[in-house]
Amino acid sequence: QSVLTQPPSVSGAPGQRVTISCSGSRSNIGAGYDVHWYQQLPGTAPKLLISGNNNRPSGVPDRFSGSKSGTSTSLAITGLQAEDEADYYCQSYDTSLSGWVFGGGTKLTVL
Amino acid sequence: QITLKESGPTLVKPTQTLTLTCTFSGFSLSTSAVGVGWIRQPPGEALEWLALIFWDDDKRYSPSLKNRLTITKDTSKNQVVLTMTNMDPVDSATYYCAHRLGGSSSGGTFDYWGQGTLVTVSS
């Protein structure tokens, strides 16, 4: 049972927009801690996709964006491409656990 | 550029102690606010944070595994070592080390990751 809750899977056709939600609580996202998103392609290590709620590291396309509201955040992917098919994880910090926490991951399928 | 690489045994027996080494380059663990963490991922499952060590030797552990974990650093060798005692088959996973980016001792993100090392626990 992950501290941050994500849908197990989402899907969309090429060119479409999809969103992945990440829900937390008052001890993590609601406490003001930033949420970060990672993309994990099959058989590879996670890669930082969005940091600090909506900052893209160099090289990440602007098709990826993040937003935060209260104790929830979302990752949006526009102009869906086949290469976006991957697992996506949200991550934050939890003050009750005094540690870093991840969501359960969401598998994105490009139809 | 920042790189990290994990090393250690690929197979351990139940009840044994696992020792993993993270060797990194491109940053110093003696620089203020720098941290290196360990995260694991059982096959087909989610990421789980295990431990993190800061530049000032401040150490943090996952509450659920705290009694089994020890994290240390060797700044001169650019290495971070994680030991996990009493290994069990459920501990079989890919273990990653990662550079933590953040300005304080809480929060922050893992901006660079090693390739991971798969550890199987089996007799």
Side-chain angles (χ1 to χ4, degrees):
Chain A
Q1 197 86 350
S2 300
V3 173
L4 304 178
T5 301
Q6 299 179 234
S9 63
V10 297
S11 62
Q16 284 189 332
R17 177 182 186 269
V18 297
T19 61
I20 299 173
S21 61
C22 173
S23 177
S25 66
R26 287 179 293 179
S27 63
N28 42 69
I29 302 174
Y33 287 102
D34 286 342
V35 176
H36 318 281
W37 290 91
Y38 302 86
Q39 177 192 59
Q40 186 176 33
L41 297 170
T44 68
K47 166 193 164 186
L48 180 62
L49 194 65
I50 298 285
S51 69
N53 303 315
N54 193 23
N55 297 304
R56 288 184 307 278
S58 174
V60 174
D62 59 6
R63 300 186 296 103
F64 295 90
S65 64
S67 63
K68 177 182 175 182
S69 177
T71 59
S72 293
T73 64
S74 290
L75 172 71
I77 309 172
T78 59
L80 206 57
Q81 300 180 4
E83 66 206 49
D84 299 333
E85 191 160 284
D87 292 326
Y88 293 84
Y89 292 90
C90 60
Q91 174 254 311
S92 187
Y93 183 87
D94 191 284
T95 188
S96 294
L97 299 173
S98 293
W100 290 261
V101 291
F102 288 89
T106 299
K107 182 175 181 58
L108 169 62
T109 299
V110 180
L111 302 171
Chain B
Q1 82 276 21
I2 291 176
T3 64
L4 305 98
K5 187 172 184 179
E6 307 85 354
S7 59
T10 57
L11 179 67
V12 297
K13 290 180 168 42
T15 75
Q16 286 188 335
T17 294
L18 171 69
T19 299
L20 295 173
T21 300
C22 175
T23 303
F24 57 85
S25 64
F27 68 94
S28 172
L29 242 185
S30 59
T31 301
S32 178
V34 172
V36 172
W38 285 93
I39 300 106
R40 71 177 179 180
Q41 184 175 36
E45 297 186 26
L47 300 166
E48 178 186 18
W49 170 73
L50 301 176
L52 189 141
I53 189 165
F54 286 101
W55 66 285
D56 59 356
D57 213 36
D58 183 10
K59 301 167 186 177
R60 308 291 178 87
Y61 297 101
S62 167
S64 62
L65 294 167
K66 182 183 175 100
N67 292 338
R68 299 174 54 206
L69 296 173
T70 302
I71 189 170
T72 60
K73 63 181 176 69
D74 186 330
T75 305
S76 64
K77 292 183 178 179
N78 281 353
Q79 290 182 333
V80 171
V81 175
L82 179 75
T83 61
M84 180 180 291
T85 61
N86 195 25
M87 293 292 284
D88 183 272
V90 300
D91 296 314
S92 296
T94 296
Y95 286 76
Y96 297 100
C97 63
H99 173 272
R100 190 214 74 139
L101 175 67
S104 69
S105 60
S106 63
T109 185
F110 298 102
D111 57 345
Y112 292 92
W113 295 61
Q115 63 189 26
T117 184
L118 177 61
V119 177
T120 301
V121 184
S122 175
S123 55

